[in-house]
Amino acid sequence: MNWLVETGYFAAAVVFILGLKRMSHPTTARSGIHWAGIAMVVATLLTFLHPQIDGRYGLMLLAIVIGGGIAWYSGKKVAMTDMPQMIAIYNGMGGGAAAAIAAVELMRMSDNPGLIEQHGSLALWLGVLGALIGAVAFSGSIIAWAKLDGRIKKAVHFQNQQLINMIVLGLAIYLGVVIAAVEPSSSLVIVFFVLALLFGAMLALPIGGADMPVIISLFNALTGLAVAMEGFVLGNAAMIIAGTVVGAAGTLLTQLMAKAMNRPIRNVLFKQFGGASGAEQGEIEGSMKASDPMDAAVQLAFAERVIIVPGYGLAVAQAQHKVWEMVELLGERGVEVRFAIHPVAGRMPGHMNVLLAEAGVPYDMIADLDEINNDFENTDVTLVIGANDVVNPVAKNDPSSPLYGMPILNADQSRNVLVIKRGQGAGFSGVENHLFYLDHTRMVYGDGQKVVGDMITALKTL
């Protein structure tokens, strides 16, 4: 029976990897999710056959019913605009589960020291490390969820913040070493977990909204590593393989997100972004020139090529369906329309892609930065909806700017630029957007959904 379970775990892990691979392309992503889900169901069912379960099926079924019920209900009810916070909280649950497994095993070892020899010293060290990483991912993801959901309104900073964070982390690591090398007493284990959870929360508190894609992918990587380490403790092949793959993918994604912002990961975690004052930024030539939905609609209607650049403001306004309705009207007039997606647009990796897919935008109309950036110079109109820093030309030409070096979408190279924006405020970085002051840029102020709706009305009259 044990051979059957282990073989089944290995097969489930292989299917999970194949599912993850299919998630890398929009056209196969849905089936990839189904594959990975089936693999997890098979692995869960195989657990009922594991010799060490010893007939404790009642608690397992209760946990499955409660957890599955909550996940099914929340998954059915969540709005697409709230997807980032759902991803954050679900990711945190994975880290929390890994930390809970470690807590149970460490407590068992404190009550029965003979289990240490049974598991082995390497497993004990990996268990402690996985506990630390999982607890940090859990509490950090909870804070990320609270920020994305608007329950924590702004980044939290206080005096000597990074020093205090390092002291908390240092104490947690010290206790972890004592637990692994000397004795896993229950009191030390409890204090160790409290410190680890505290560090995760304190790590995420100063992170601002623009850095959320990076921090979410980082916590995802930590969750995967924690699961893999606890899988080693339990001797569970499915956990080891799946956790390692998720950890590796999350680490790679974190690096890509940080590169897209031209910021080392350490700066995201330990340094406040932006905040340059107007004096530091110098004088801006020109002025913002307002337009209205009717004039904007006329420009779009008589253009040949249009590129739409969505940003977080699109998600806030929930304007994706109106945007697609407008694009369909433009298509009927023979206008070629494409969408340009910056890697860190929104509040999670792929945030804009998810919103556009939910609105029904075909995948072949969506291009990333590298695919579309050279096409802006041949574009009649670029329509920017709710994006700011990712189209700011100072990232290319002002070495003193906090944004300098960050790859941006070359919207400024278009013949005309329309910007739909609620007001005249700067982006998250605090840097004024020079794109808004260019001679060929027009600002259309207002709520994104309402403005696009007015543009649709105007298009129908032309």
Side-chain angles (χ1 to χ4, degrees), residues 247-313:
T251 300
L252 189 60
L253 181 59
T254 302
Q255 292 175 334
L256 291 173
M257 293 293 103
K259 183 180 179 181
M261 298 177 67
N262 194 40
R263 300 182 64 209
I265 296 174
R266 65 178 181 275
N267 281 10
V268 175
L269 297 175
F270 304 119
K271 185 178 180 181
Q272 185 177 359
F273 186 41
S277 67
E280 291 173 331
Q281 294 176 41
E283 294 295 328
I284 301 176
E285 296 182 2
S287 61
M288 293 188 188
K289 294 164 280 292
S291 184
D292 58 51
M294 175 56 116
D295 289 341
V298 170
Q299 273 193 284
L300 293 174
F302 293 98
E304 292 184 8
R305 286 177 292 275
V306 171
I307 293 178
I308 299 177
V309 180
Y312 183 60

Short mmCIF file of all heavy atoms in Angstrom, two decimals, residues 247-313:
data_model
loop_
_atom_site.label_atom_id
_atom_site.label_comp_id
_atom_site.label_asym_id
_atom_site.label_seq_id
_atom_site.Cartn_x
_atom_site.Cartn_y
_atom_site.Cartn_z
N GLY A 247 8.35 27.07 -5.86
CA GLY A 247 9.39 27.95 -5.33
C GLY A 247 10.29 28.50 -6.42
O GLY A 247 10.62 29.69 -6.45
N ALA A 248 10.70 27.61 -7.34
CA ALA A 248 11.56 28.04 -8.44
C ALA A 248 10.84 29.02 -9.36
O ALA A 248 11.39 30.05 -9.76
CB ALA A 248 12.04 26.82 -9.22
N ALA A 249 9.58 28.70 -9.71
CA ALA A 249 8.80 29.59 -10.58
C ALA A 249 8.57 30.94 -9.92
O ALA A 249 8.69 31.99 -10.57
CB ALA A 249 7.46 28.93 -10.93
N GLY A 250 8.25 30.93 -8.62
CA GLY A 250 8.03 32.18 -7.92
C GLY A 250 9.28 33.02 -7.82
O GLY A 250 9.24 34.25 -7.94
N THR A 251 10.43 32.36 -7.62
CA THR A 251 11.70 33.09 -7.55
C THR A 251 12.02 33.74 -8.89
O THR A 251 12.43 34.91 -8.95
CB THR A 251 12.83 32.13 -7.15
OG1 THR A 251 12.54 31.55 -5.87
CG2 THR A 251 14.16 32.86 -7.08
N LEU A 252 11.82 32.99 -9.97
CA LEU A 252 12.08 33.53 -11.31
C LEU A 252 11.14 34.70 -11.62
O LEU A 252 11.56 35.74 -12.14
CB LEU A 252 11.90 32.42 -12.34
CG LEU A 252 12.34 32.73 -13.78
CD1 LEU A 252 13.82 33.07 -13.81
CD2 LEU A 252 12.06 31.55 -14.68
N LEU A 253 9.87 34.55 -11.25
CA LEU A 253 8.90 35.61 -11.49
C LEU A 253 9.25 36.85 -10.68
O LEU A 253 9.13 37.99 -11.17
CB LEU A 253 7.49 35.13 -11.13
CG LEU A 253 6.35 36.12 -11.36
CD1 LEU A 253 6.29 36.54 -12.83
CD2 LEU A 253 5.02 35.52 -10.92
N THR A 254 9.70 36.67 -9.44
CA THR A 254 10.10 37.80 -8.60
C THR A 254 11.25 38.57 -9.24
O THR A 254 11.24 39.80 -9.28
CB THR A 254 10.52 37.31 -7.20
OG1 THR A 254 9.44 36.59 -6.61
CG2 THR A 254 10.90 38.47 -6.31
N GLN A 255 12.22 37.83 -9.77
CA GLN A 255 13.35 38.48 -10.43
C GLN A 255 12.90 39.24 -11.67
O GLN A 255 13.38 40.36 -11.94
CB GLN A 255 14.40 37.43 -10.80
CG GLN A 255 15.09 36.81 -9.59
CD GLN A 255 16.05 35.69 -9.97
OE1 GLN A 255 15.89 35.05 -11.01
NE2 GLN A 255 17.04 35.45 -9.14
N LEU A 256 11.97 38.66 -12.43
CA LEU A 256 11.47 39.33 -13.63
C LEU A 256 10.71 40.60 -13.27
O LEU A 256 10.84 41.63 -13.94
CB LEU A 256 10.56 38.38 -14.42
CG LEU A 256 11.25 37.19 -15.09
CD1 LEU A 256 10.21 36.25 -15.69
CD2 LEU A 256 12.21 37.67 -16.17
N MET A 257 9.90 40.54 -12.20
CA MET A 257 9.15 41.72 -11.77
C MET A 257 10.10 42.82 -11.31
O MET A 257 9.92 44.00 -11.65
CB MET A 257 8.21 41.35 -10.62
CG MET A 257 7.06 40.41 -10.97
SD MET A 257 5.84 41.13 -12.09
CE MET A 257 6.33 40.32 -13.61
N ALA A 258 11.11 42.45 -10.54
CA ALA A 258 12.07 43.44 -10.05
C ALA A 258 12.85 44.05 -11.22
O ALA A 258 13.11 45.25 -11.25
CB ALA A 258 13.01 42.80 -9.04
N LYS A 259 13.21 43.22 -12.18
CA LYS A 259 13.93 43.71 -13.36
C LYS A 259 13.07 44.68 -14.15
O LYS A 259 13.56 45.68 -14.69
CB LYS A 259 14.35 42.53 -14.23
CG LYS A 259 15.17 42.94 -15.46
CD LYS A 259 15.55 41.73 -16.29
CE LYS A 259 16.34 42.15 -17.53
NZ LYS A 259 16.70 40.98 -18.36
N ALA A 260 11.77 44.38 -14.24
CA ALA A 260 10.85 45.25 -14.98
C ALA A 260 10.74 46.62 -14.33
O ALA A 260 10.38 47.60 -14.99
CB ALA A 260 9.47 44.61 -15.06
N MET A 261 11.04 46.71 -13.04
CA MET A 261 11.03 48.00 -12.33
C MET A 261 12.43 48.58 -12.19
O MET A 261 12.60 49.66 -11.63
CB MET A 261 10.42 47.82 -10.94
CG MET A 261 8.98 47.34 -10.95
SD MET A 261 8.34 47.08 -9.27
CE MET A 261 8.31 48.76 -8.66
N ASN A 262 13.43 47.82 -12.69
CA ASN A 262 14.84 48.23 -12.57
C ASN A 262 15.23 48.47 -11.11
O ASN A 262 15.93 49.43 -10.78
CB ASN A 262 15.12 49.49 -13.39
CG ASN A 262 16.62 49.74 -13.56
OD1 ASN A 262 17.39 48.81 -13.75
ND2 ASN A 262 17.02 51.00 -13.46
N ARG A 263 14.75 47.59 -10.24
CA ARG A 263 15.04 47.73 -8.82
C ARG A 263 15.47 46.38 -8.25
O ARG A 263 14.79 45.38 -8.44
CB ARG A 263 13.82 48.22 -8.04
CG ARG A 263 13.31 49.57 -8.50
CD ARG A 263 12.13 49.99 -7.65
NE ARG A 263 12.50 50.19 -6.27
CZ ARG A 263 11.69 50.02 -5.24
NH1 ARG A 263 10.46 49.60 -5.44
NH2 ARG A 263 12.10 50.26 -4.02
N PRO A 264 16.60 46.33 -7.54
CA PRO A 264 16.97 45.09 -6.86
C PRO A 264 15.90 44.71 -5.84
O PRO A 264 15.24 45.57 -5.26
CB PRO A 264 18.29 45.45 -6.16
CG PRO A 264 18.80 46.67 -6.86
CD PRO A 264 17.58 47.40 -7.33
N ILE A 265 15.73 43.41 -5.61
CA ILE A 265 14.71 42.95 -4.66
C ILE A 265 14.96 43.54 -3.28
O ILE A 265 14.01 43.85 -2.55
CB ILE A 265 14.69 41.41 -4.62
CG1 ILE A 265 14.27 40.87 -5.99
CG2 ILE A 265 13.73 40.90 -3.55
CD1 ILE A 265 14.35 39.38 -6.11
N ARG A 266 16.23 43.71 -2.91
CA ARG A 266 16.53 44.26 -1.58
C ARG A 266 15.97 45.68 -1.43
O ARG A 266 15.58 46.09 -0.33
CB ARG A 266 18.03 44.25 -1.32
CG ARG A 266 18.85 45.14 -2.23
CD ARG A 266 20.34 45.12 -1.88
NE ARG A 266 21.10 45.98 -2.74
CZ ARG A 266 21.58 45.64 -3.93
NH1 ARG A 266 21.35 44.42 -4.39
NH2 ARG A 266 22.28 46.49 -4.66
N ASN A 267 15.93 46.44 -2.55
CA ASN A 267 15.37 47.79 -2.49
C ASN A 267 13.86 47.76 -2.30
O ASN A 267 13.27 48.62 -1.63
CB ASN A 267 15.70 48.57 -3.76
CG ASN A 267 17.12 49.12 -3.74
OD1 ASN A 267 17.91 48.75 -2.86
ND2 ASN A 267 17.46 49.96 -4.69
N VAL A 268 13.20 46.78 -2.91
CA VAL A 268 11.76 46.64 -2.73
C VAL A 268 11.43 46.35 -1.27
O VAL A 268 10.48 46.89 -0.70
CB VAL A 268 11.22 45.50 -3.63
CG1 VAL A 268 9.73 45.26 -3.36
CG2 VAL A 268 11.43 45.85 -5.10
N LEU A 269 12.25 45.49 -0.65
CA LEU A 269 11.98 45.05 0.72
C LEU A 269 12.43 46.05 1.77
O LEU A 269 11.79 46.19 2.82
CB LEU A 269 12.65 43.70 0.98
CG LEU A 269 12.15 42.52 0.12
CD1 LEU A 269 12.99 41.29 0.42
CD2 LEU A 269 10.69 42.25 0.38
N PHE A 270 13.53 46.74 1.51
CA PHE A 270 14.16 47.50 2.58
C PHE A 270 14.31 48.99 2.31
O PHE A 270 14.93 49.71 3.07
CB PHE A 270 15.55 46.93 2.89
CG PHE A 270 15.53 45.47 3.23
CD1 PHE A 270 16.21 44.56 2.45
CD2 PHE A 270 14.81 45.01 4.32
CE1 PHE A 270 16.18 43.20 2.76
CE2 PHE A 270 14.78 43.66 4.63
CZ PHE A 270 15.46 42.76 3.85
N LYS A 271 13.74 49.48 1.20
CA LYS A 271 13.90 50.90 0.89
C LYS A 271 12.60 51.45 0.34
O LYS A 271 12.01 50.87 -0.56
CB LYS A 271 15.03 51.10 -0.13
CG LYS A 271 15.34 52.57 -0.43
CD LYS A 271 16.50 52.66 -1.40
CE LYS A 271 16.83 54.12 -1.72
NZ LYS A 271 17.95 54.24 -2.68
N GLN A 272 12.17 52.59 0.88
CA GLN A 272 10.94 53.22 0.39
C GLN A 272 11.15 53.71 -1.03
O GLN A 272 12.20 54.25 -1.37
CB GLN A 272 10.55 54.39 1.28
CG GLN A 272 9.21 55.02 0.91
CD GLN A 272 8.82 56.13 1.86
OE1 GLN A 272 9.53 56.42 2.81
NE2 GLN A 272 7.70 56.74 1.59
N PHE A 273 10.15 53.51 -1.89
CA PHE A 273 10.25 53.86 -3.31
C PHE A 273 9.72 55.26 -3.54
O PHE A 273 8.67 55.63 -3.04
CB PHE A 273 9.44 52.86 -4.14
CG PHE A 273 9.57 53.03 -5.61
CD1 PHE A 273 10.79 53.32 -6.18
CD2 PHE A 273 8.46 52.89 -6.42
CE1 PHE A 273 10.91 53.46 -7.56
CE2 PHE A 273 8.57 53.01 -7.80
CZ PHE A 273 9.80 53.30 -8.36
N GLY A 274 10.47 56.02 -4.31
CA GLY A 274 9.97 57.33 -4.76
C GLY A 274 9.99 58.36 -3.66
O GLY A 274 10.84 58.39 -2.79
N GLY A 275 9.02 59.27 -3.73
CA GLY A 275 8.90 60.31 -2.74
C GLY A 275 9.73 61.53 -3.05
O GLY A 275 9.97 62.36 -2.19
N ALA A 276 10.24 61.67 -4.27
CA ALA A 276 11.02 62.84 -4.64
C ALA A 276 10.14 64.07 -4.62
O ALA A 276 9.00 64.07 -5.04
CB ALA A 276 11.63 62.65 -6.03
N SER A 277 10.66 65.13 -4.13
CA SER A 277 9.88 66.37 -4.05
C SER A 277 9.89 67.09 -5.38
O SER A 277 10.69 66.83 -6.26
CB SER A 277 10.48 67.29 -2.96
OG SER A 277 11.76 67.73 -3.37
N GLY A 278 8.99 68.01 -5.49
CA GLY A 278 8.92 68.78 -6.72
C GLY A 278 10.20 69.52 -7.00
O GLY A 278 10.64 69.65 -8.13
N ALA A 279 10.85 70.05 -5.94
CA ALA A 279 12.09 70.77 -6.12
C ALA A 279 13.18 69.86 -6.67
O ALA A 279 13.98 70.22 -7.52
CB ALA A 279 12.54 71.39 -4.79
N GLU A 280 13.24 68.63 -6.17
CA GLU A 280 14.24 67.67 -6.62
C GLU A 280 14.02 67.29 -8.07
O GLU A 280 14.95 67.00 -8.80
CB GLU A 280 14.19 66.42 -5.74
CG GLU A 280 14.67 66.66 -4.31
CD GLU A 280 14.43 65.45 -3.43
OE1 GLU A 280 13.48 64.70 -3.70
OE2 GLU A 280 15.19 65.26 -2.48
N GLN A 281 12.77 67.29 -8.52
CA GLN A 281 12.46 66.87 -9.87
C GLN A 281 12.70 67.98 -10.89
O GLN A 281 12.84 67.71 -12.07
CB GLN A 281 10.99 66.43 -9.96
CG GLN A 281 10.69 65.19 -9.14
CD GLN A 281 9.22 64.86 -9.17
OE1 GLN A 281 8.57 64.95 -10.20
NE2 GLN A 281 8.68 64.48 -8.04
N GLY A 282 12.80 69.20 -10.44
CA GLY A 282 13.04 70.30 -11.35
C GLY A 282 11.77 70.76 -12.05
O GLY A 282 10.69 70.22 -11.86
N GLU A 283 11.93 71.76 -12.90
CA GLU A 283 10.79 72.33 -13.59
C GLU A 283 10.38 71.43 -14.77
O GLU A 283 11.21 70.82 -15.43
CB GLU A 283 11.13 73.73 -14.10
CG GLU A 283 11.38 74.75 -12.99
CD GLU A 283 10.14 75.01 -12.17
OE1 GLU A 283 9.03 74.95 -12.74
OE2 GLU A 283 10.28 75.26 -10.96
N ILE A 284 9.07 71.41 -15.03
CA ILE A 284 8.54 70.64 -16.14
C ILE A 284 8.07 71.62 -17.22
O ILE A 284 7.31 72.54 -16.94
CB ILE A 284 7.36 69.75 -15.70
CG1 ILE A 284 7.82 68.79 -14.60
CG2 ILE A 284 6.80 68.97 -16.89
CD1 ILE A 284 6.70 67.94 -14.05
N GLU A 285 8.55 71.42 -18.43
CA GLU A 285 8.16 72.30 -19.53
C GLU A 285 6.75 71.93 -20.01
O GLU A 285 6.39 70.77 -20.06
CB GLU A 285 9.15 72.19 -20.68
CG GLU A 285 10.55 72.67 -20.33
CD GLU A 285 11.48 72.58 -21.52
OE1 GLU A 285 11.01 72.18 -22.61
OE2 GLU A 285 12.67 72.90 -21.35
N GLY A 286 5.98 72.94 -20.38
CA GLY A 286 4.65 72.72 -20.91
C GLY A 286 3.60 72.66 -19.81
O GLY A 286 3.87 72.95 -18.65
N SER A 287 2.41 72.28 -20.20
CA SER A 287 1.30 72.20 -19.24
C SER A 287 0.37 71.07 -19.66
O SER A 287 0.38 70.62 -20.81
CB SER A 287 0.53 73.52 -19.20
OG SER A 287 -0.02 73.80 -20.48
N MET A 288 -0.45 70.62 -18.70
CA MET A 288 -1.46 69.60 -19.02
C MET A 288 -2.59 70.25 -19.80
O MET A 288 -3.10 71.30 -19.41
CB MET A 288 -2.00 68.97 -17.74
CG MET A 288 -1.00 68.15 -16.97
SD MET A 288 -1.79 67.26 -15.59
CE MET A 288 -0.35 66.59 -14.74
N LYS A 289 -2.97 69.62 -20.89
CA LYS A 289 -4.01 70.17 -21.76
C LYS A 289 -5.23 69.25 -21.73
O LYS A 289 -5.14 68.09 -22.13
CB LYS A 289 -3.45 70.32 -23.18
CG LYS A 289 -2.35 71.36 -23.27
CD LYS A 289 -1.54 71.25 -24.52
CE LYS A 289 -0.51 70.14 -24.39
NZ LYS A 289 0.56 70.44 -23.42
N ALA A 290 -6.33 69.79 -21.23
CA ALA A 290 -7.54 68.98 -21.04
C ALA A 290 -8.30 68.81 -22.36
O ALA A 290 -8.26 69.67 -23.24
CB ALA A 290 -8.44 69.63 -20.00
N SER A 291 -8.96 67.69 -22.46
CA SER A 291 -9.85 67.41 -23.58
C SER A 291 -11.15 66.85 -23.02
O SER A 291 -11.35 66.82 -21.81
CB SER A 291 -9.19 66.43 -24.56
OG SER A 291 -10.00 66.23 -25.70
N ASP A 292 -12.05 66.43 -23.89
CA ASP A 292 -13.31 65.84 -23.42
C ASP A 292 -13.57 64.55 -24.18
O ASP A 292 -12.93 64.25 -25.19
CB ASP A 292 -14.47 66.83 -23.59
CG ASP A 292 -14.64 67.28 -25.03
OD1 ASP A 292 -14.71 66.42 -25.93
OD2 ASP A 292 -14.72 68.50 -25.27
N PRO A 293 -14.52 63.73 -23.70
CA PRO A 293 -14.77 62.43 -24.32
C PRO A 293 -15.13 62.52 -25.80
O PRO A 293 -14.75 61.65 -26.59
CB PRO A 293 -15.93 61.87 -23.50
CG PRO A 293 -15.78 62.50 -22.15
CD PRO A 293 -15.28 63.88 -22.43
N MET A 294 -15.83 63.57 -26.21
CA MET A 294 -16.22 63.70 -27.62
C MET A 294 -15.00 63.88 -28.51
O MET A 294 -14.83 63.19 -29.53
CB MET A 294 -17.18 64.89 -27.79
CG MET A 294 -17.54 65.16 -29.24
SD MET A 294 -18.25 63.72 -30.07
CE MET A 294 -19.87 64.32 -30.45
N ASP A 295 -14.10 64.79 -28.14
CA ASP A 295 -12.90 65.01 -28.94
C ASP A 295 -12.02 63.76 -28.95
O ASP A 295 -11.42 63.42 -29.98
CB ASP A 295 -12.11 66.20 -28.39
CG ASP A 295 -12.81 67.53 -28.64
OD1 ASP A 295 -13.68 67.57 -29.54
OD2 ASP A 295 -12.51 68.51 -27.94
N ALA A 296 -11.94 63.09 -27.79
CA ALA A 296 -11.15 61.87 -27.71
C ALA A 296 -11.72 60.80 -28.64
O ALA A 296 -10.98 60.09 -29.33
CB ALA A 296 -11.11 61.37 -26.27
N ALA A 297 -13.04 60.67 -28.65
CA ALA A 297 -13.70 59.69 -29.52
C ALA A 297 -13.43 59.98 -30.98
O ALA A 297 -13.22 59.06 -31.79
CB ALA A 297 -15.19 59.67 -29.24
N VAL A 298 -13.44 61.25 -31.37
CA VAL A 298 -13.18 61.64 -32.75
C VAL A 298 -11.77 61.23 -33.16
O VAL A 298 -11.54 60.68 -34.25
CB VAL A 298 -13.39 63.15 -32.94
CG1 VAL A 298 -12.88 63.60 -34.31
CG2 VAL A 298 -14.85 63.52 -32.78
N GLN A 299 -10.79 61.50 -32.26
CA GLN A 299 -9.41 61.11 -32.56
C GLN A 299 -9.29 59.60 -32.79
O GLN A 299 -8.63 59.15 -33.72
CB GLN A 299 -8.49 61.52 -31.40
CG GLN A 299 -7.97 62.94 -31.50
CD GLN A 299 -6.84 63.18 -30.52
OE1 GLN A 299 -7.07 63.35 -29.33
NE2 GLN A 299 -5.62 63.19 -31.02
N LEU A 300 -9.92 58.82 -31.92
CA LEU A 300 -9.85 57.37 -32.04
C LEU A 300 -10.57 56.88 -33.30
O LEU A 300 -10.09 55.98 -34.00
CB LEU A 300 -10.46 56.71 -30.80
CG LEU A 300 -9.70 56.90 -29.48
CD1 LEU A 300 -10.52 56.32 -28.34
CD2 LEU A 300 -8.34 56.24 -29.54
N ALA A 301 -11.71 57.47 -33.61
CA ALA A 301 -12.52 57.01 -34.73
C ALA A 301 -11.82 57.19 -36.07
O ALA A 301 -12.00 56.38 -36.99
CB ALA A 301 -13.86 57.75 -34.74
N PHE A 302 -11.00 58.24 -36.20
CA PHE A 302 -10.35 58.52 -37.48
C PHE A 302 -8.87 58.13 -37.48
O PHE A 302 -8.12 58.55 -38.36
CB PHE A 302 -10.53 60.00 -37.83
CG PHE A 302 -11.96 60.36 -38.12
CD1 PHE A 302 -12.76 60.93 -37.14
CD2 PHE A 302 -12.52 60.07 -39.36
CE1 PHE A 302 -14.09 61.24 -37.40
CE2 PHE A 302 -13.85 60.39 -39.62
CZ PHE A 302 -14.64 60.95 -38.64
N ALA A 303 -8.49 57.34 -36.51
CA ALA A 303 -7.12 56.80 -36.48
C ALA A 303 -7.07 55.49 -37.24
O ALA A 303 -8.09 54.82 -37.45
CB ALA A 303 -6.68 56.59 -35.04
N GLU A 304 -5.88 55.11 -37.68
CA GLU A 304 -5.68 53.81 -38.32
C GLU A 304 -5.18 52.77 -37.32
O GLU A 304 -5.61 51.62 -37.34
CB GLU A 304 -4.68 53.92 -39.48
CG GLU A 304 -5.20 54.73 -40.67
CD GLU A 304 -4.21 54.72 -41.82
OE1 GLU A 304 -3.21 53.97 -41.75
OE2 GLU A 304 -4.42 55.48 -42.78
N ARG A 305 -4.26 53.20 -36.47
CA ARG A 305 -3.68 52.29 -35.48
C ARG A 305 -3.75 52.92 -34.09
O ARG A 305 -3.34 54.06 -33.89
CB ARG A 305 -2.22 51.97 -35.84
CG ARG A 305 -2.07 51.02 -37.02
CD ARG A 305 -0.62 50.79 -37.38
NE ARG A 305 -0.03 52.03 -37.92
CZ ARG A 305 -0.12 52.38 -39.20
NH1 ARG A 305 -0.78 51.61 -40.06
NH2 ARG A 305 0.44 53.49 -39.62
N VAL A 306 -4.29 52.15 -33.14
CA VAL A 306 -4.46 52.61 -31.76
C VAL A 306 -3.86 51.57 -30.82
O VAL A 306 -4.04 50.36 -31.02
CB VAL A 306 -5.96 52.82 -31.42
CG1 VAL A 306 -6.14 53.09 -29.92
CG2 VAL A 306 -6.54 53.97 -32.23
N ILE A 307 -3.15 52.04 -29.80
CA ILE A 307 -2.65 51.17 -28.74
C ILE A 307 -3.26 51.65 -27.42
O ILE A 307 -3.21 52.84 -27.11
CB ILE A 307 -1.11 51.18 -28.64
CG1 ILE A 307 -0.49 50.54 -29.89
CG2 ILE A 307 -0.64 50.42 -27.39
CD1 ILE A 307 1.03 50.55 -29.90
N ILE A 308 -3.83 50.72 -26.66
CA ILE A 308 -4.40 51.04 -25.35
C ILE A 308 -3.46 50.51 -24.27
O ILE A 308 -3.07 49.34 -24.29
CB ILE A 308 -5.80 50.42 -25.20
CG1 ILE A 308 -6.75 50.99 -26.25
CG2 ILE A 308 -6.35 50.67 -23.79
CD1 ILE A 308 -8.14 50.37 -26.23
N VAL A 309 -3.12 51.38 -23.32
CA VAL A 309 -2.23 51.02 -22.21
C VAL A 309 -3.05 51.03 -20.92
O VAL A 309 -3.35 52.10 -20.38
CB VAL A 309 -1.04 51.99 -22.08
CG1 VAL A 309 -0.15 51.58 -20.91
CG2 VAL A 309 -0.24 52.04 -23.37
N PRO A 310 -3.46 49.87 -20.40
CA PRO A 310 -4.22 49.84 -19.15
C PRO A 310 -3.31 49.83 -17.93
O PRO A 310 -2.17 49.36 -17.99
CB PRO A 310 -4.99 48.51 -19.27
CG PRO A 310 -4.07 47.63 -20.05
CD PRO A 310 -3.31 48.52 -21.00
N GLY A 311 -3.84 50.36 -16.82
CA GLY A 311 -3.10 50.36 -15.56
C GLY A 311 -4.05 50.08 -14.40
O GLY A 311 -5.21 49.71 -14.60
N TYR A 312 -3.54 50.28 -13.20
CA TYR A 312 -4.33 49.96 -12.02
C TYR A 312 -5.63 50.76 -11.97
O TYR A 312 -6.65 50.28 -11.45
CB TYR A 312 -3.50 50.22 -10.76
CG TYR A 312 -4.21 49.85 -9.47
CD1 TYR A 312 -4.63 48.55 -9.24
CD2 TYR A 312 -4.47 50.81 -8.48
CE1 TYR A 312 -5.28 48.19 -8.07
CE2 TYR A 312 -5.11 50.46 -7.32
CZ TYR A 312 -5.52 49.16 -7.12
OH TYR A 312 -6.16 48.82 -5.95
N GLY A 313 -5.62 51.99 -12.51
CA GLY A 313 -6.83 52.80 -12.53
C GLY A 313 -7.96 52.13 -13.30
O GLY A 313 -9.14 52.33 -12.99
#
